[in-house]
Amino acid sequence: MSTHDELEALRAEAPARIAAATSIDELSELETEVVGKRSPVASGRRSLGSVDPDQRRDLGRSINDIAIELGALIDARREELAGAEAAVALEADAVDVTLAGRRPRRGTHHIVQQVMDEVVDLFVAMGYTVATGPEAETEFYNFTALNFPYDHPTRLESDTLYLDYGDVPEEILLRTHTSPMQIRFMETHDPPVYLVVPGRVFRRDPVDSTHSPVFHQIEGLAVDADITFGDLKGTLAHFAREFLGPQTNVKFIPHYFPFTEPSAEMHVHYNGEWMELLGCGMVDPAVFEAVGYDPGAVTGFAFGMGADRLAMVRHGVTDLRHLFEPDIRILRQFR
Ligand code: DAH
């Protein structure tokens, strides 16, 4: 076949093949074949030198025309294919924003924390403020200012966890109750005081079904011009009925605490039995003197309760260890 015939054949069949190319890779191979170095177009150009001068011009022109024609077809098809390939890629990458999400599993507060929050909220509703204090305390705030005599047995290392805190004038200990915050708060605030203090407390107790070396208390203190034991009973009975139910019966039994006089335990009738819920009493004048209040001008009552115990009573948990062992199945019941 003459170069001329070969070129004409190419011109006739190439456009259909270009149009039929289905990918950019396939089109590039076709481009090499049709207009590349080994194509009839290239060999036609190379042969021009040996062609008769009077035919050379026509042949040269028709080679150029074919090269331009096919090149234009290839470029147009390449653009088409690029657009289609981009559309396919976009489709594959598409995110369905209407698809339902996977919900993260919701955490919850521990039931002791829930109880502390609830008790604090009940007192806040009665106008009390909330404060928290240090877990590492001095002997002064934990015992002395609260009117504990120097030879009181709970000061002993057998009951209280002392910290080796170097060369400080006061013994440092892990607070055994939240009562030291009564002192800290009154030292820094003038009466009237209506205060609740939730917090963690520590005692040298082995773990059993009702004891733990770490537990939680909520302290309360009300100091005003003429607070009576009647105010104490009314406030704490109201609290018991809010917390355990409106029919809950309460009774007050005489007790002893160094920082209150008189002192009492409040018992509640719940689930068919009487149980102790908290300690309370009228603030001892010696405590007012320790913080610089005039015992002739103010009176007050105080109370302290175990939050862990409240959680157990509320939920019918019979062993304190269930609350603090890391068995998530137990805690999941109390969302
Ligand atoms: N601090 C006492 C305890 O840990 C509880 C307590 C009793 C607190 C009577 C008080 C109170 O404020 O008035 O056993």
Side-chain angles (χ1 to χ4, degrees):
M1 219 190 321
S2 73
T3 303
H4 181 264
D5 292 346
E6 227 179 310
L7 285 167
E8 282 310 319
L10 184 65
R11 186 176 219 165
E13 55 138 49
R17 294 182 59 202
I18 291 168
T22 55
S23 73
I24 292 186
D25 285 348
E26 189 187 333
L27 186 67
S28 298
E29 276 171 36
L30 194 56
E31 183 176 33
T32 307
E33 183 188 327
V34 168
V35 292
K37 281 193 199 111
R38 287 179 226 276
S39 67
V41 170
S43 56
R45 283 195 177 116
R46 277 196 298 275
S47 70
L48 279 180
S50 55
V51 170
D52 260 3
D54 48 322
Q55 287 177 21
R56 191 181 291 160
R57 167 183 274 254
D58 282 352
L59 186 60
R61 181 171 295 145
S62 86
I63 290 174
N64 266 347
D65 287 352
I66 289 172
I68 288 168
E69 203 176 295
L70 296 182
L73 287 175
I74 287 168
D75 287 348
R77 182 66 187 149
R78 180 176 281 121
E79 223 160 276
E80 265 172 42
L81 287 173
E85 280 178 17
V88 167
L90 276 180
E91 178 83 7
D93 279 355
V95 173
D96 182 356
V97 293
T98 67
L99 210 58
R102 242 167 298 196
R103 255 173 222 290
R105 203 193 277 255
R106 191 102 129 351
T108 183
H109 281 150
H110 190 280
I111 64 171
V112 172
Q113 185 66 49
Q114 292 177 28
V115 162
M116 287 207 283
D117 290 348
E118 191 179 327
V119 172
V120 164
D121 282 353
L122 285 174
F123 282 95
V124 166
M126 291 189 258
Y128 286 60
T129 34
V130 189
T132 54
E135 292 173 358
E137 260 300 0
T138 64
E139 215 177 345
F140 174 77
Y141 285 111
N142 198 81
F143 293 128
T144 310
L146 287 162
N147 201 34
F148 281 76
Y150 281 101
D151 57 359
H152 196 283
T154 65
R155 291 189 187 239
L156 293 176
E157 286 197 22
S158 53
D159 282 14
T160 297
L161 295 153
Y162 286 86
L163 298 177
D164 184 1
Y165 214 70
D167 209 8
V168 287
E170 275 271 347
E171 288 284 3
I172 308 291
L173 47 78
L174 291 176
R175 66 177 177 191
T176 60
H177 51 177
T178 42
S179 306
M181 268 307 284
Q182 292 188 27
I183 306 300
R184 288 186 179 274
F185 196 86
M186 286 190 283
E187 271 183 351
T188 52
H189 297 78
D190 289 330
V193 168
Y194 292 89
L195 173 70
V196 275
V197 182
R200 195 177 284 136
V201 301
F202 309 84
R203 285 182 200 173
R204 193 187 276 275
D205 276 330
V207 174
D208 66 22
S209 66
T210 55
H211 292 86
S212 158
V214 184
F215 57 107
H216 302 82
Q217 286 188 337
I218 300 148
E219 187 81 13
L221 175 68
V223 180
D224 212 330
D226 46 13
I227 297 243
T228 68
F229 199 84
D231 296 318
L232 175 158
K233 289 174 73 178
T235 303
L236 294 178
H238 170 75
F239 157 71
R241 289 173 190 139
E242 288 282 317
F243 187 73
L244 295 174
Q247 311 304 334
T248 307
N249 275 324
V250 303
K251 67 182 177 186
F252 292 84
I253 293 179
H255 202 76
Y256 171 78
F257 298 104
F259 39 93
T260 45
E261 179 59 31
S263 304
E265 276 180 356
M266 183 174 78
H267 291 224
V268 293
H269 197 72
Y270 188 69
N271 278 344
E273 52 175 329
W274 284 102
M275 58 180 88
E276 181 229 320
L277 204 66
L278 52 80
C280 55
M282 300 304 289
V283 178
D284 195 294
V287 172
F288 285 143
E289 269 157 22
V291 299
Y293 280 16
D294 176 2
V298 289
T299 54
F301 65 80
F303 56 90
M305 58 186 110
D308 318 273
R309 230 183 102 72
L310 290 180
M312 288 170 74
V313 169
R314 157 68 69 78
H315 297 290
V317 177
T318 52
D319 193 320
L320 178 62
R321 288 167 289 201
H322 288 324
L323 298 187
F324 299 121
E325 273 164 10
D327 187 336
I328 199 75
R329 291 170 304 177
I330 290 175
L331 298 174
R332 279 225 178 96
Q333 300 173 72
F334 308 107
R335 280 172 180 276

